[in-house]
Amino acid sequence: MGNQPLKGWARFAAAWRNSRAGFRDLWSDEEAFRLECILLLLSIPAAFWIAPTFLMAAVLIGAVFFILIIEVLNSSIENVVDRIGPERHENSRKAKDMGSLAVLMASLLAGLLWLTAIWQALTT
C-alpha cells in the first residue's frame, strides 16, 4: 500500500531530510534568514556575558531564536503567495505584510528583552 504514511524512524528520517532541505532553501534564498542566523550565533556568548543567570541567558537566546522561527513562517507564507501567481492582489499583499509584521513584532520583543538585560547588567 503505497499511500501508507511513514511510521517510526522512517518518518523521523523523512522529516529530518525535509527540514534540512528547508534550511538549505532559506539559507540560499533569504538574506534576512542568514543575518538572523549570524545574530543568533553572536547572541549565545553575549547572553552568557550579560545575563546573571543561566535562565536569563536562555531567555535572551530564545528571543533571538524566536525571530528565526517567525522568519521561517514568514518565508513560507511568501512562497505560497508567490506560488499562487505573480499578479498583484490585495489579499496577497495583506498576507505578506502580516508575515513581515510578525517578524517585526518578534524582533521588538527580542530587543526589549535584550535592552532590559543590558540595563540590568549596567545598573547592578
Side-chain angles (χ1 to χ4, degrees):
M1 310 223 185
N3 292 337
Q4 290 291 328
L6 297 174
K7 296 184 190 263
W9 286 107
R11 182 183 186 125
F12 178 78
W16 178 256
R17 283 190 302 273
N18 293 339
S19 296
R20 278 190 356 226
F23 183 87
R24 277 193 312 267
D25 292 338
L26 273 166
W27 188 263
S28 66
D29 298 344
E30 296 291 335
E31 182 181 7
F33 181 76
R34 291 190 299 272
L35 292 172
E36 291 157 355
C37 283
I38 293 166
L39 182 63
L40 176 64
L41 291 176
L42 294 173
S43 75
I44 295 170
F48 286 105
W49 183 61
I50 291 169
T53 66
F54 181 79
L55 178 61
M56 176 70 97
V59 168
L60 294 174
I61 295 165
V64 178
F65 195 69
F66 185 64
I67 297 171
L68 272 174
I69 294 167
I70 301 302
E71 185 67 51
V72 170
L73 295 173
N74 179 46
S75 295
S76 63
I77 290 167
E78 289 178 350
N79 277 282
V80 169
V81 168
D82 291 345
R83 164 64 174 87
I84 293 170
E87 67 279 349
R88 292 195 169 272
H89 190 278
E90 185 63 14
N91 287 342
S92 297
R93 183 200 59 79
K94 286 180 181 179
K96 287 185 169 191
D97 288 352
M98 289 176 195
S100 179
L101 175 61
V103 175
L104 175 63
M105 293 170 73
S107 299
L108 292 173
L109 173 63
L112 176 65
L113 291 171
W114 276 86
L115 287 173
T116 302
I118 291 168
W119 178 264
Q120 183 179 13
L122 293 174
T123 59
T124 57

